Amino acid sequence: MAIRNIVKIGDEILTKRSRKVEKIDDRIITLLDDMKDTLDKAKGVGLAAPQVGVLKRVVVLNIEDNYWELINPEIISASEEMVNDIEGCLSVPGKWGYVERPKTVTVRAKDRNGETFELNGSDLLARALCHEIDHLNGELYVDKVSEFVDPDELEEDE
Ligand code: ZN
């Protein structure tokens, strides 16, 4: 296992569409392990493979001590109810902004054993799922922000 370098905004790879994983081989397992280490070290909520320079449809999430690995994730349903809340990204350091996301989403994906599962998420989990799946489509949250937040103001609120 290893910590990988996180690609930052401005790198073309973040704007490219990731390819579907056709076969879960040793390289994908190593990628998952490394992404977990990288996310842990960065103390992040989520990480998508293109953020470590790999254009594969792989995402890891860590929210409140729950950890998920998603291979080829797809949003299969989303609530009409939207929530406008603050978002950030490990590839866009030092910035936060308000983005509207569905309150709940259901995602279908495969785990590292190739088993298909469905994940229902609301609030932060729904937001993180949408954010990471956007990465797989070459989309960054900064293009969806309604208003950026001054990081100094954020710290004062805490
Ligand atoms: Zn991100």
Side-chain angles (χ1 to χ4, degrees):
M1 306 222 275
I3 309 286
R4 299 209 187 182
N5 195 33
I6 297 177
V7 174
K8 303 296 190 303
I9 188 168
D11 193 311
E12 213 180 34
I13 202 160
L14 293 174
T15 65
K16 291 186 174 167
R17 196 177 163 83
S18 293
R19 288 178 297 272
K20 202 173 165 189
V21 174
E22 300 295 346
K23 187 167 175 274
I24 302 168
D25 55 14
D26 288 350
R27 287 183 69 167
I28 296 294
I29 300 300
T30 302
L31 174 65
L32 285 165
D33 290 342
D34 289 356
M35 284 173 68
K36 180 178 194 294
D37 286 354
T38 307
L39 183 64
D40 282 350
K41 173 131 191 291
K43 296 186 169 66
V45 164
L47 190 67
Q51 291 181 278
V52 293
V54 179
L55 285 171
K56 297 266 186 196
R57 302 188 81 80
V58 174
V59 162
V60 297
L61 294 169
N62 189 346
I63 295 175
E64 289 158 4
D65 294 328
N66 289 303
Y67 180 71
W68 293 276
E69 295 174 341
L70 299 100
I71 298 167
N72 299 336
E74 277 178 87
I75 294 173
I76 54 172
S77 68
S79 65
E80 278 179 34
E81 189 186 350
M82 304 292 276
V83 179
N84 196 30
D85 208 345
I86 294 174
E87 225 168 286
C89 179
L90 293 174
S91 294
V92 190
K95 273 200 170 188
W96 289 269
Y98 281 90
V99 184
E100 211 167 61
R101 301 286 192 185
K103 182 169 173 62
T104 63
V105 295
T106 303
V107 169
R108 185 180 292 148
K110 278 191 198 301
D111 66 18
R112 62 166 64 207
N113 301 312
E115 301 290 334
T116 300
F117 66 99
E118 285 182 11
L119 178 58
N120 274 297
S122 49
D123 300 305
L124 180 57
L125 179 55
R127 176 168 300 277
L129 285 164
C130 293
H131 178 114
E132 300 310 331
I133 292 170
D134 277 355
H135 273 300
L136 303 182
N137 297 325
E139 294 169 16
L140 289 178
Y141 90 97
V142 291
D143 295 323
K144 299 184 172 185
V145 165
S146 56
E147 191 188 351
F148 283 100
V149 180
D150 183 344
D152 293 335
E153 276 175 36
L154 268 187
E155 278 165 29
E156 279 168 24
D157 285 348
E158 281 167 5

